[in-house]
Amino acid sequence: LAHYENTRAQFETWAASGWANHKMVGYWMLNSHWPSFYGNLIDYYMSPGGAYYGAKKGLRPLSAVFDYYATGDKSQARILVFNQTPGDVHDLSVRVRVYDLDGTLRDDRSASHVAVPFNGATQAMTLPRYPGSSPVFFVRCQLFDGSGRLVVNNVYWQSQKDDDLGPRENDEVMTLKQERWADMTALNAMQSVTVEAEATQVTTGDERHVTIRLRNPSGRIAFFERVTLSATRESNEILPIGYDDNYVTIFPGETAEIHGTIRKGAKSAWVKIEGYNTPAHSVPIQ
């Protein structure tokens, strides 16, 4: 799971800001040439990787994005709403919550009546630094339409120690000569969380649809939860397969729902759940 942890979040930001619209991404990141090639969207065996879900979220027509304190003197982070639709969008709302690693809610702020021109971006708010927070903290950006319907739920993890690209002019370019990397090692000290899971399936036409509900009954964060469908409790993932989302983060007391789709003839009987701070376990599909 650590293999993909930064890739997904980075793709949400890059894709939403237009970086992933370049055709090169489709060729460079679509398939890995080796089973373990880093950062691929779909691996050698046709399993979607973590980057796939980040790119998918970032390329949604509307998105709310956290910029990682990436500009200026880095004293504030911007929350931007991107509109990649062909028309202007009005009356959007943004809610941003900041959590410590132990699940404590550090900040909760909202912005309403956000308007974004077509193919444009609007700054909805800024976030301050959180020096009293944990060494790594979570930023959760939710975007709602005019009717209050949730459109986007993006989750980021931010180190108190920034990436350092060196001279200020490097902030606006892609560089591999980084002077310091952000320190994410505090994620390894997250307390263990047991996620409750249940799954049901129905057959429609030539496809079998599986609905997986993951509930976090604890007061802590269940980080980077991945589900896989298999024929038996110990067998490998059924491939090819499609999930509407995966590698999800579930906040205290909340439930996440993931939908998987496989061919009708493929036998699916078990769902395996594993996360960064969640012991792997399997449940039968009802």
Side-chain angles (χ1 to χ4, degrees), residues 3-14 38 49-55 57-58 60 68 153-157 224-225 245-249:
H3 188 66
Y4 293 119
E5 73 179 36
N6 276 335
T7 310
R8 169 173 176 152
Q10 288 170 356
F11 258 80
E12 288 178 10
T13 302
W14 293 343
Y38 175 76
Y52 168 82
Y53 301 100
K57 281 202 169 185
R60 285 179 175 175
Y68 295 97
N153 181 43
N154 288 340
V155 178
Y156 304 85
W157 36 104
F224 225 59
E225 302 295 323
D245 202 1
N246 220 330
Y247 297 95
V248 298
T249 295

PDB file of all heavy atoms in Angstrom, residues 3-14 38 49-55 57-58 60 68 153-157 224-225 245-249:
ATOM      1  N   HIS A   3       3.387   1.699  -1.470  1.00  0.00           N
ATOM      2  CA  HIS A   3       3.878   1.851  -2.847  1.00  0.00           C
ATOM      3  C   HIS A   3       3.113   2.943  -3.586  1.00  0.00           C
ATOM      4  O   HIS A   3       3.657   3.637  -4.440  1.00  0.00           O
ATOM      5  CB  HIS A   3       3.701   0.517  -3.555  1.00  0.00           C
ATOM      6  CG  HIS A   3       4.318   0.437  -4.918  1.00  0.00           C
ATOM      7  ND1 HIS A   3       5.669   0.495  -5.111  1.00  0.00           N
ATOM      8  CD2 HIS A   3       3.762   0.303  -6.143  1.00  0.00           C
ATOM      9  CE1 HIS A   3       5.930   0.377  -6.407  1.00  0.00           C
ATOM     10  NE2 HIS A   3       4.787   0.272  -7.053  1.00  0.00           N
ATOM     11  N   TYR A   4       1.818   3.099  -3.251  1.00  0.00           N
ATOM     12  CA  TYR A   4       0.968   4.019  -3.996  1.00  0.00           C
ATOM     13  C   TYR A   4       0.563   5.247  -3.187  1.00  0.00           C
ATOM     14  O   TYR A   4      -0.159   6.085  -3.675  1.00  0.00           O
ATOM     15  CB  TYR A   4      -0.319   3.311  -4.422  1.00  0.00           C
ATOM     16  CG  TYR A   4      -0.118   2.217  -5.431  1.00  0.00           C
ATOM     17  CD1 TYR A   4      -0.475   0.917  -5.139  1.00  0.00           C
ATOM     18  CD2 TYR A   4       0.429   2.499  -6.676  1.00  0.00           C
ATOM     19  CE1 TYR A   4      -0.298  -0.096  -6.066  1.00  0.00           C
ATOM     20  CE2 TYR A   4       0.607   1.484  -7.602  1.00  0.00           C
ATOM     21  CZ  TYR A   4       0.247   0.204  -7.293  1.00  0.00           C
ATOM     22  OH  TYR A   4       0.421  -0.793  -8.199  1.00  0.00           O
ATOM     23  N   GLU A   5       0.981   5.385  -1.916  1.00  0.00           N
ATOM     24  CA  GLU A   5       0.327   6.335  -1.037  1.00  0.00           C
ATOM     25  C   GLU A   5       0.437   7.778  -1.509  1.00  0.00           C
ATOM     26  O   GLU A   5      -0.534   8.523  -1.484  1.00  0.00           O
ATOM     27  CB  GLU A   5       0.843   6.202   0.396  1.00  0.00           C
ATOM     28  CG  GLU A   5       2.246   6.736   0.631  1.00  0.00           C
ATOM     29  CD  GLU A   5       2.635   6.571   2.083  1.00  0.00           C
ATOM     30  OE1 GLU A   5       2.254   5.570   2.677  1.00  0.00           O
ATOM     31  OE2 GLU A   5       3.319   7.445   2.597  1.00  0.00           O
ATOM     32  N   ASN A   6       1.618   8.225  -1.956  1.00  0.00           N
ATOM     33  CA  ASN A   6       1.726   9.600  -2.423  1.00  0.00           C
ATOM     34  C   ASN A   6       1.230   9.753  -3.846  1.00  0.00           C
ATOM     35  O   ASN A   6       0.754  10.815  -4.234  1.00  0.00           O
ATOM     36  CB  ASN A   6       3.170  10.091  -2.341  1.00  0.00           C
ATOM     37  CG  ASN A   6       3.497  10.590  -0.949  1.00  0.00           C
ATOM     38  OD1 ASN A   6       2.618  10.990  -0.207  1.00  0.00           O
ATOM     39  ND2 ASN A   6       4.758  10.553  -0.591  1.00  0.00           N
ATOM     40  N   THR A   7       1.329   8.694  -4.641  1.00  0.00           N
ATOM     41  CA  THR A   7       0.967   8.793  -6.051  1.00  0.00           C
ATOM     42  C   THR A   7      -0.486   9.184  -6.230  1.00  0.00           C
ATOM     43  O   THR A   7      -0.811  10.022  -7.053  1.00  0.00           O
ATOM     44  CB  THR A   7       1.210   7.454  -6.758  1.00  0.00           C
ATOM     45  OG1 THR A   7       2.521   7.014  -6.442  1.00  0.00           O
ATOM     46  CG2 THR A   7       1.062   7.596  -8.263  1.00  0.00           C
ATOM     47  N   ARG A   8      -1.375   8.601  -5.451  1.00  0.00           N
ATOM     48  CA  ARG A   8      -2.794   8.921  -5.602  1.00  0.00           C
ATOM     49  C   ARG A   8      -3.046  10.391  -5.297  1.00  0.00           C
ATOM     50  O   ARG A   8      -3.691  11.091  -6.068  1.00  0.00           O
ATOM     51  CB  ARG A   8      -3.634   8.042  -4.690  1.00  0.00           C
ATOM     52  CG  ARG A   8      -5.066   8.548  -4.626  1.00  0.00           C
ATOM     53  CD  ARG A   8      -6.001   7.645  -3.884  1.00  0.00           C
ATOM     54  NE  ARG A   8      -7.298   8.305  -3.836  1.00  0.00           N
ATOM     55  CZ  ARG A   8      -8.444   7.690  -3.770  1.00  0.00           C
ATOM     56  NH1 ARG A   8      -8.484   6.382  -3.777  1.00  0.00           N
ATOM     57  NH2 ARG A   8      -9.574   8.351  -3.707  1.00  0.00           N
ATOM     58  N   ALA A   9      -2.548  10.887  -4.169  1.00  0.00           N
ATOM     59  CA  ALA A   9      -2.819  12.274  -3.792  1.00  0.00           C
ATOM     60  C   ALA A   9      -2.211  13.259  -4.780  1.00  0.00           C
ATOM     61  O   ALA A   9      -2.812  14.273  -5.122  1.00  0.00           O
ATOM     62  CB  ALA A   9      -2.290  12.545  -2.394  1.00  0.00           C
ATOM     63  N   GLN A  10      -1.007  12.961  -5.263  1.00  0.00           N
ATOM     64  CA  GLN A  10      -0.370  13.847  -6.226  1.00  0.00           C
ATOM     65  C   GLN A  10      -1.169  13.905  -7.522  1.00  0.00           C
ATOM     66  O   GLN A  10      -1.342  14.969  -8.122  1.00  0.00           O
ATOM     67  CB  GLN A  10       1.049  13.377  -6.509  1.00  0.00           C
ATOM     68  CG  GLN A  10       1.997  13.627  -5.351  1.00  0.00           C
ATOM     69  CD  GLN A  10       3.330  12.942  -5.552  1.00  0.00           C
ATOM     70  OE1 GLN A  10       3.526  12.220  -6.526  1.00  0.00           O
ATOM     71  NE2 GLN A  10       4.244  13.154  -4.635  1.00  0.00           N
ATOM     72  N   PHE A  11      -1.701  12.762  -7.961  1.00  0.00           N
ATOM     73  CA  PHE A  11      -2.481  12.752  -9.196  1.00  0.00           C
ATOM     74  C   PHE A  11      -3.758  13.557  -9.051  1.00  0.00           C
ATOM     75  O   PHE A  11      -4.212  14.188  -9.999  1.00  0.00           O
ATOM     76  CB  PHE A  11      -2.798  11.311  -9.613  1.00  0.00           C
ATOM     77  CG  PHE A  11      -1.908  10.836 -10.713  1.00  0.00           C
ATOM     78  CD1 PHE A  11      -0.639  10.394 -10.429  1.00  0.00           C
ATOM     79  CD2 PHE A  11      -2.333  10.856 -12.024  1.00  0.00           C
ATOM     80  CE1 PHE A  11       0.190   9.959 -11.438  1.00  0.00           C
ATOM     81  CE2 PHE A  11      -1.507  10.427 -13.044  1.00  0.00           C
ATOM     82  CZ  PHE A  11      -0.244   9.971 -12.750  1.00  0.00           C
ATOM     83  N   GLU A  12      -4.371  13.565  -7.861  1.00  0.00           N
ATOM     84  CA  GLU A  12      -5.577  14.361  -7.676  1.00  0.00           C
ATOM     85  C   GLU A  12      -5.281  15.830  -7.923  1.00  0.00           C
ATOM     86  O   GLU A  12      -6.067  16.543  -8.536  1.00  0.00           O
ATOM     87  CB  GLU A  12      -6.126  14.167  -6.259  1.00  0.00           C
ATOM     88  CG  GLU A  12      -6.744  12.802  -6.035  1.00  0.00           C
ATOM     89  CD  GLU A  12      -7.238  12.622  -4.622  1.00  0.00           C
ATOM     90  OE1 GLU A  12      -7.271  13.616  -3.868  1.00  0.00           O
ATOM     91  OE2 GLU A  12      -7.589  11.487  -4.259  1.00  0.00           O
ATOM     92  N   THR A  13      -4.130  16.299  -7.427  1.00  0.00           N
ATOM     93  CA  THR A  13      -3.773  17.701  -7.601  1.00  0.00           C
ATOM     94  C   THR A  13      -3.333  17.987  -9.023  1.00  0.00           C
ATOM     95  O   THR A  13      -3.808  18.920  -9.669  1.00  0.00           O
ATOM     96  CB  THR A  13      -2.645  18.083  -6.631  1.00  0.00           C
ATOM     97  OG1 THR A  13      -3.079  17.828  -5.294  1.00  0.00           O
ATOM     98  CG2 THR A  13      -2.309  19.559  -6.759  1.00  0.00           C
ATOM     99  N   TRP A  14      -2.420  17.185  -9.548  1.00  0.00           N
ATOM    100  CA  TRP A  14      -1.900  17.417 -10.896  1.00  0.00           C
ATOM    101  C   TRP A  14      -2.998  17.324 -11.948  1.00  0.00           C
ATOM    102  O   TRP A  14      -3.100  18.145 -12.842  1.00  0.00           O
ATOM    103  CB  TRP A  14      -0.809  16.421 -11.223  1.00  0.00           C
ATOM    104  CG  TRP A  14       0.423  16.595 -10.406  1.00  0.00           C
ATOM    105  CD1 TRP A  14       0.782  17.689  -9.683  1.00  0.00           C
ATOM    106  CD2 TRP A  14       1.449  15.628 -10.215  1.00  0.00           C
ATOM    107  NE1 TRP A  14       1.980  17.459  -9.050  1.00  0.00           N
ATOM    108  CE2 TRP A  14       2.410  16.208  -9.363  1.00  0.00           C
ATOM    109  CE3 TRP A  14       1.658  14.337 -10.687  1.00  0.00           C
ATOM    110  CZ2 TRP A  14       3.564  15.539  -8.972  1.00  0.00           C
ATOM    111  CZ3 TRP A  14       2.804  13.667 -10.295  1.00  0.00           C
ATOM    112  CH2 TRP A  14       3.738  14.262  -9.441  1.00  0.00           C
ATOM    113  N   TYR A  38       6.536   1.369 -10.925  1.00  0.00           N
ATOM    114  CA  TYR A  38       5.978   2.340  -9.985  1.00  0.00           C
ATOM    115  C   TYR A  38       5.016   3.314 -10.657  1.00  0.00           C
ATOM    116  O   TYR A  38       5.286   3.836 -11.725  1.00  0.00           O
ATOM    117  CB  TYR A  38       7.117   3.146  -9.338  1.00  0.00           C
ATOM    118  CG  TYR A  38       6.637   4.261  -8.450  1.00  0.00           C
ATOM    119  CD1 TYR A  38       6.126   3.978  -7.181  1.00  0.00           C
ATOM    120  CD2 TYR A  38       6.643   5.570  -8.887  1.00  0.00           C
ATOM    121  CE1 TYR A  38       5.669   4.984  -6.364  1.00  0.00           C
ATOM    122  CE2 TYR A  38       6.182   6.592  -8.071  1.00  0.00           C
ATOM    123  CZ  TYR A  38       5.695   6.290  -6.811  1.00  0.00           C
ATOM    124  OH  TYR A  38       5.235   7.301  -6.007  1.00  0.00           O
ATOM    125  N   GLY A  49      -4.159   0.456 -10.268  1.00  0.00           N
ATOM    126  CA  GLY A  49      -3.258   0.859  -9.187  1.00  0.00           C
ATOM    127  C   GLY A  49      -3.774   2.077  -8.455  1.00  0.00           C
ATOM    128  O   GLY A  49      -4.782   2.692  -8.831  1.00  0.00           O
ATOM    129  N   GLY A  50      -3.068   2.462  -7.388  1.00  0.00           N
ATOM    130  CA  GLY A  50      -3.479   3.617  -6.606  1.00  0.00           C
ATOM    131  C   GLY A  50      -3.544   4.881  -7.432  1.00  0.00           C
ATOM    132  O   GLY A  50      -4.428   5.732  -7.244  1.00  0.00           O
ATOM    133  N   ALA A  51      -2.614   5.042  -8.370  1.00  0.00           N
ATOM    134  CA  ALA A  51      -2.584   6.243  -9.205  1.00  0.00           C
ATOM    135  C   ALA A  51      -3.834   6.355 -10.074  1.00  0.00           C
ATOM    136  O   ALA A  51      -4.265   7.461 -10.410  1.00  0.00           O
ATOM    137  CB  ALA A  51      -1.339   6.231 -10.092  1.00  0.00           C
ATOM    138  N   TYR A  52      -4.417   5.222 -10.433  1.00  0.00           N
ATOM    139  CA  TYR A  52      -5.630   5.243 -11.262  1.00  0.00           C
ATOM    140  C   TYR A  52      -6.745   6.016 -10.565  1.00  0.00           C
ATOM    141  O   TYR A  52      -7.429   6.846 -11.174  1.00  0.00           O
ATOM    142  CB  TYR A  52      -6.076   3.813 -11.563  1.00  0.00           C
ATOM    143  CG  TYR A  52      -7.461   3.712 -12.154  1.00  0.00           C
ATOM    144  CD1 TYR A  52      -7.669   3.924 -13.509  1.00  0.00           C
ATOM    145  CD2 TYR A  52      -8.564   3.431 -11.341  1.00  0.00           C
ATOM    146  CE1 TYR A  52      -8.949   3.847 -14.053  1.00  0.00           C
ATOM    147  CE2 TYR A  52      -9.832   3.353 -11.873  1.00  0.00           C
ATOM    148  CZ  TYR A  52     -10.024   3.560 -13.227  1.00  0.00           C
ATOM    149  OH  TYR A  52     -11.280   3.494 -13.762  1.00  0.00           O
ATOM    150  N   TYR A  53      -6.929   5.752  -9.272  1.00  0.00           N
ATOM    151  CA  TYR A  53      -8.020   6.391  -8.546  1.00  0.00           C
ATOM    152  C   TYR A  53      -7.721   7.864  -8.296  1.00  0.00           C
ATOM    153  O   TYR A  53      -8.635   8.699  -8.270  1.00  0.00           O
ATOM    154  CB  TYR A  53      -8.284   5.639  -7.243  1.00  0.00           C
ATOM    155  CG  TYR A  53      -8.645   4.197  -7.498  1.00  0.00           C
ATOM    156  CD1 TYR A  53      -7.698   3.186  -7.346  1.00  0.00           C
ATOM    157  CD2 TYR A  53      -9.910   3.851  -7.952  1.00  0.00           C
ATOM    158  CE1 TYR A  53      -8.012   1.868  -7.627  1.00  0.00           C
ATOM    159  CE2 TYR A  53     -10.236   2.541  -8.235  1.00  0.00           C
ATOM    160  CZ  TYR A  53      -9.277   1.547  -8.068  1.00  0.00           C
ATOM    161  OH  TYR A  53      -9.601   0.255  -8.363  1.00  0.00           O
ATOM    162  N   GLY A  54      -6.450   8.221  -8.103  1.00  0.00           N
ATOM    163  CA  GLY A  54      -6.094   9.624  -7.971  1.00  0.00           C
ATOM    164  C   GLY A  54      -6.347  10.389  -9.247  1.00  0.00           C
ATOM    165  O   GLY A  54      -6.903  11.494  -9.244  1.00  0.00           O
ATOM    166  N   ALA A  55      -5.940   9.795 -10.392  1.00  0.00           N
ATOM    167  CA  ALA A  55      -6.163  10.446 -11.688  1.00  0.00           C
ATOM    168  C   ALA A  55      -7.657  10.563 -11.977  1.00  0.00           C
ATOM    169  O   ALA A  55      -8.129  11.587 -12.486  1.00  0.00           O
ATOM    170  CB  ALA A  55      -5.469   9.652 -12.791  1.00  0.00           C
ATOM    171  N   LYS A  57     -10.114  10.864  -9.836  1.00  0.00           N
ATOM    172  CA  LYS A  57     -10.705  11.939  -9.034  1.00  0.00           C
ATOM    173  C   LYS A  57     -10.261  13.301  -9.539  1.00  0.00           C
ATOM    174  O   LYS A  57     -11.040  14.253  -9.612  1.00  0.00           O
ATOM    175  CB  LYS A  57     -10.326  11.770  -7.566  1.00  0.00           C
ATOM    176  CG  LYS A  57     -11.142  10.732  -6.840  1.00  0.00           C
ATOM    177  CD  LYS A  57     -11.125  10.955  -5.345  1.00  0.00           C
ATOM    178  CE  LYS A  57     -12.155  10.083  -4.655  1.00  0.00           C
ATOM    179  NZ  LYS A  57     -12.252  10.363  -3.200  1.00  0.00           N
ATOM    180  N   GLY A  58      -8.977  13.422  -9.870  1.00  0.00           N
ATOM    181  CA  GLY A  58      -8.464  14.706 -10.317  1.00  0.00           C
ATOM    182  C   GLY A  58      -9.048  15.153 -11.640  1.00  0.00           C
ATOM    183  O   GLY A  58      -9.135  16.356 -11.909  1.00  0.00           O
ATOM    184  N   ARG A  60     -12.120  14.653 -12.660  1.00  0.00           N
ATOM    185  CA  ARG A  60     -13.559  14.879 -12.633  1.00  0.00           C
ATOM    186  C   ARG A  60     -13.868  16.286 -13.131  1.00  0.00           C
ATOM    187  O   ARG A  60     -13.054  17.197 -13.008  1.00  0.00           O
ATOM    188  CB  ARG A  60     -14.092  14.705 -11.205  1.00  0.00           C
ATOM    189  CG  ARG A  60     -14.170  13.252 -10.776  1.00  0.00           C
ATOM    190  CD  ARG A  60     -14.677  13.129  -9.363  1.00  0.00           C
ATOM    191  NE  ARG A  60     -14.866  11.733  -8.996  1.00  0.00           N
ATOM    192  CZ  ARG A  60     -15.219  11.317  -7.778  1.00  0.00           C
ATOM    193  NH1 ARG A  60     -15.427  12.196  -6.820  1.00  0.00           N
ATOM    194  NH2 ARG A  60     -15.361  10.025  -7.528  1.00  0.00           N
ATOM    195  N   TYR A  68      -1.068  21.869  -0.935  1.00  0.00           N
ATOM    196  CA  TYR A  68       0.128  21.442  -0.186  1.00  0.00           C
ATOM    197  C   TYR A  68       1.048  22.603   0.223  1.00  0.00           C
ATOM    198  O   TYR A  68       2.253  22.426   0.333  1.00  0.00           O
ATOM    199  CB  TYR A  68       0.967  20.463  -1.026  1.00  0.00           C
ATOM    200  CG  TYR A  68       0.340  19.142  -1.349  1.00  0.00           C
ATOM    201  CD1 TYR A  68      -0.289  18.931  -2.575  1.00  0.00           C
ATOM    202  CD2 TYR A  68       0.379  18.085  -0.449  1.00  0.00           C
ATOM    203  CE1 TYR A  68      -0.862  17.711  -2.883  1.00  0.00           C
ATOM    204  CE2 TYR A  68      -0.191  16.864  -0.753  1.00  0.00           C
ATOM    205  CZ  TYR A  68      -0.813  16.679  -1.967  1.00  0.00           C
ATOM    206  OH  TYR A  68      -1.371  15.472  -2.266  1.00  0.00           O
ATOM    207  N   ASN A 153     -15.038  14.129  -2.824  1.00  0.00           N
ATOM    208  CA  ASN A 153     -14.483  13.947  -1.480  1.00  0.00           C
ATOM    209  C   ASN A 153     -13.013  13.584  -1.647  1.00  0.00           C
ATOM    210  O   ASN A 153     -12.676  12.422  -1.878  1.00  0.00           O
ATOM    211  CB  ASN A 153     -15.232  12.851  -0.727  1.00  0.00           C
ATOM    212  CG  ASN A 153     -14.698  12.638   0.680  1.00  0.00           C
ATOM    213  OD1 ASN A 153     -14.416  13.591   1.390  1.00  0.00           O
ATOM    214  ND2 ASN A 153     -14.551  11.380   1.077  1.00  0.00           N
ATOM    215  N   ASN A 154     -12.128  14.571  -1.580  1.00  0.00           N
ATOM    216  CA  ASN A 154     -10.696  14.353  -1.768  1.00  0.00           C
ATOM    217  C   ASN A 154      -9.979  14.389  -0.429  1.00  0.00           C
ATOM    218  O   ASN A 154     -10.242  15.277   0.397  1.00  0.00           O
ATOM    219  CB  ASN A 154     -10.097  15.423  -2.679  1.00  0.00           C
ATOM    220  CG  ASN A 154     -10.515  15.254  -4.133  1.00  0.00           C
ATOM    221  OD1 ASN A 154     -10.934  14.168  -4.538  1.00  0.00           O
ATOM    222  ND2 ASN A 154     -10.400  16.303  -4.919  1.00  0.00           N
ATOM    223  N   VAL A 155      -9.069  13.453  -0.220  1.00  0.00           N
ATOM    224  CA  VAL A 155      -8.332  13.361   1.038  1.00  0.00           C
ATOM    225  C   VAL A 155      -6.837  13.438   0.756  1.00  0.00           C
ATOM    226  O   VAL A 155      -6.325  12.742  -0.133  1.00  0.00           O
ATOM    227  CB  VAL A 155      -8.652  12.041   1.784  1.00  0.00           C
ATOM    228  CG1 VAL A 155      -7.845  11.948   3.074  1.00  0.00           C
ATOM    229  CG2 VAL A 155     -10.145  11.953   2.088  1.00  0.00           C
ATOM    230  N   TYR A 156      -6.145  14.284   1.528  1.00  0.00           N
ATOM    231  CA  TYR A 156      -4.701  14.476   1.375  1.00  0.00           C
ATOM    232  C   TYR A 156      -4.028  14.260   2.724  1.00  0.00           C
ATOM    233  O   TYR A 156      -4.632  14.464   3.778  1.00  0.00           O
ATOM    234  CB  TYR A 156      -4.399  15.898   0.897  1.00  0.00           C
ATOM    235  CG  TYR A 156      -5.091  16.284  -0.387  1.00  0.00           C
ATOM    236  CD1 TYR A 156      -6.396  16.773  -0.375  1.00  0.00           C
ATOM    237  CD2 TYR A 156      -4.445  16.159  -1.609  1.00  0.00           C
ATOM    238  CE1 TYR A 156      -7.038  17.124  -1.559  1.00  0.00           C
ATOM    239  CE2 TYR A 156      -5.072  16.515  -2.796  1.00  0.00           C
ATOM    240  CZ  TYR A 156      -6.371  16.993  -2.760  1.00  0.00           C
ATOM    241  OH  TYR A 156      -7.000  17.330  -3.928  1.00  0.00           O
ATOM    242  N   TRP A 157      -2.754  13.863   2.690  1.00  0.00           N
ATOM    243  CA  TRP A 157      -1.965  13.787   3.918  1.00  0.00           C
ATOM    244  C   TRP A 157      -0.759  14.709   3.755  1.00  0.00           C
ATOM    245  O   TRP A 157      -0.050  14.670   2.762  1.00  0.00           O
ATOM    246  CB  TRP A 157      -1.572  12.357   4.254  1.00  0.00           C
ATOM    247  CG  TRP A 157      -1.255  11.454   3.103  1.00  0.00           C
ATOM    248  CD1 TRP A 157      -0.026  11.049   2.695  1.00  0.00           C
ATOM    249  CD2 TRP A 157      -2.191  10.806   2.221  1.00  0.00           C
ATOM    250  NE1 TRP A 157      -0.121  10.194   1.609  1.00  0.00           N
ATOM    251  CE2 TRP A 157      -1.444  10.034   1.300  1.00  0.00           C
ATOM    252  CE3 TRP A 157      -3.588  10.810   2.121  1.00  0.00           C
ATOM    253  CZ2 TRP A 157      -2.038   9.281   0.302  1.00  0.00           C
ATOM    254  CZ3 TRP A 157      -4.169  10.057   1.119  1.00  0.00           C
ATOM    255  CH2 TRP A 157      -3.404   9.309   0.237  1.00  0.00           C
ATOM    256  N   PHE A 224      -6.166   4.545   3.982  1.00  0.00           N
ATOM    257  CA  PHE A 224      -5.777   3.887   2.741  1.00  0.00           C
ATOM    258  C   PHE A 224      -6.280   2.450   2.661  1.00  0.00           C
ATOM    259  O   PHE A 224      -5.521   1.499   2.482  1.00  0.00           O
ATOM    260  CB  PHE A 224      -4.249   3.927   2.619  1.00  0.00           C
ATOM    261  CG  PHE A 224      -3.777   4.313   1.243  1.00  0.00           C
ATOM    262  CD1 PHE A 224      -4.141   5.511   0.681  1.00  0.00           C
ATOM    263  CD2 PHE A 224      -2.957   3.473   0.508  1.00  0.00           C
ATOM    264  CE1 PHE A 224      -3.701   5.867  -0.591  1.00  0.00           C
ATOM    265  CE2 PHE A 224      -2.516   3.820  -0.761  1.00  0.00           C
ATOM    266  CZ  PHE A 224      -2.894   5.024  -1.313  1.00  0.00           C
ATOM    267  N   GLU A 225      -7.593   2.307   2.785  1.00  0.00           N
ATOM    268  CA  GLU A 225      -8.220   0.990   2.772  1.00  0.00           C
ATOM    269  C   GLU A 225      -8.416   0.506   1.340  1.00  0.00           C
ATOM    270  O   GLU A 225      -9.000   1.201   0.508  1.00  0.00           O
ATOM    271  CB  GLU A 225      -9.571   1.041   3.481  1.00  0.00           C
ATOM    272  CG  GLU A 225      -9.512   1.519   4.911  1.00  0.00           C
ATOM    273  CD  GLU A 225      -8.742   0.587   5.804  1.00  0.00           C
ATOM    274  OE1 GLU A 225      -8.843  -0.648   5.599  1.00  0.00           O
ATOM    275  OE2 GLU A 225      -8.032   1.074   6.704  1.00  0.00           O
ATOM    276  N   ASP A 245     -14.090   3.141  -6.839  1.00  0.00           N
ATOM    277  CA  ASP A 245     -13.099   3.805  -5.986  1.00  0.00           C
ATOM    278  C   ASP A 245     -12.360   2.725  -5.208  1.00  0.00           C
ATOM    279  O   ASP A 245     -12.805   1.578  -5.138  1.00  0.00           O
ATOM    280  CB  ASP A 245     -13.776   4.788  -5.032  1.00  0.00           C
ATOM    281  CG  ASP A 245     -12.825   5.864  -4.512  1.00  0.00           C
ATOM    282  OD1 ASP A 245     -11.633   5.855  -4.902  1.00  0.00           O
ATOM    283  OD2 ASP A 245     -13.268   6.723  -3.728  1.00  0.00           O
ATOM    284  N   ASN A 246     -11.220   3.094  -4.646  1.00  0.00           N
ATOM    285  CA  ASN A 246     -10.457   2.169  -3.819  1.00  0.00           C
ATOM    286  C   ASN A 246      -9.378   2.970  -3.112  1.00  0.00           C
ATOM    287  O   ASN A 246      -9.217   4.155  -3.364  1.00  0.00           O
ATOM    288  CB  ASN A 246      -9.847   1.043  -4.662  1.00  0.00           C
ATOM    289  CG  ASN A 246      -9.921  -0.301  -3.951  1.00  0.00           C
ATOM    290  OD1 ASN A 246      -9.885  -0.374  -2.729  1.00  0.00           O
ATOM    291  ND2 ASN A 246     -10.038  -1.375  -4.724  1.00  0.00           N
ATOM    292  N   TYR A 247      -8.623   2.318  -2.238  1.00  0.00           N
ATOM    293  CA  TYR A 247      -7.611   3.014  -1.427  1.00  0.00           C
ATOM    294  C   TYR A 247      -8.258   4.212  -0.731  1.00  0.00           C
ATOM    295  O   TYR A 247      -7.774   5.336  -0.811  1.00  0.00           O
ATOM    296  CB  TYR A 247      -6.437   3.459  -2.297  1.00  0.00           C
ATOM    297  CG  TYR A 247      -5.665   2.330  -2.937  1.00  0.00           C
ATOM    298  CD1 TYR A 247      -5.962   1.905  -4.231  1.00  0.00           C
ATOM    299  CD2 TYR A 247      -4.642   1.685  -2.257  1.00  0.00           C
ATOM    300  CE1 TYR A 247      -5.276   0.859  -4.834  1.00  0.00           C
ATOM    301  CE2 TYR A 247      -3.928   0.643  -2.848  1.00  0.00           C
ATOM    302  CZ  TYR A 247      -4.254   0.234  -4.134  1.00  0.00           C
ATOM    303  OH  TYR A 247      -3.563  -0.790  -4.716  1.00  0.00           O
ATOM    304  N   VAL A 248      -9.370   3.962  -0.049  1.00  0.00           N
ATOM    305  CA  VAL A 248     -10.138   5.042   0.561  1.00  0.00           C
ATOM    306  C   VAL A 248      -9.721   5.236   2.017  1.00  0.00           C
ATOM    307  O   VAL A 248      -9.250   4.307   2.687  1.00  0.00           O
ATOM    308  CB  VAL A 248     -11.647   4.763   0.490  1.00  0.00           C
ATOM    309  CG1 VAL A 248     -12.102   4.686  -0.968  1.00  0.00           C
ATOM    310  CG2 VAL A 248     -12.017   3.476   1.233  1.00  0.00           C
ATOM    311  N   THR A 249      -9.907   6.450   2.521  1.00  0.00           N
ATOM    312  CA  THR A 249      -9.659   6.765   3.919  1.00  0.00           C
ATOM    313  C   THR A 249     -11.005   6.989   4.587  1.00  0.00           C
ATOM    314  O   THR A 249     -11.836   7.758   4.092  1.00  0.00           O
ATOM    315  CB  THR A 249      -8.777   8.018   4.048  1.00  0.00           C
ATOM    316  OG1 THR A 249      -7.487   7.717   3.497  1.00  0.00           O
ATOM    317  CG2 THR A 249      -8.614   8.438   5.500  1.00  0.00           C
TER     318      THR A 249
END
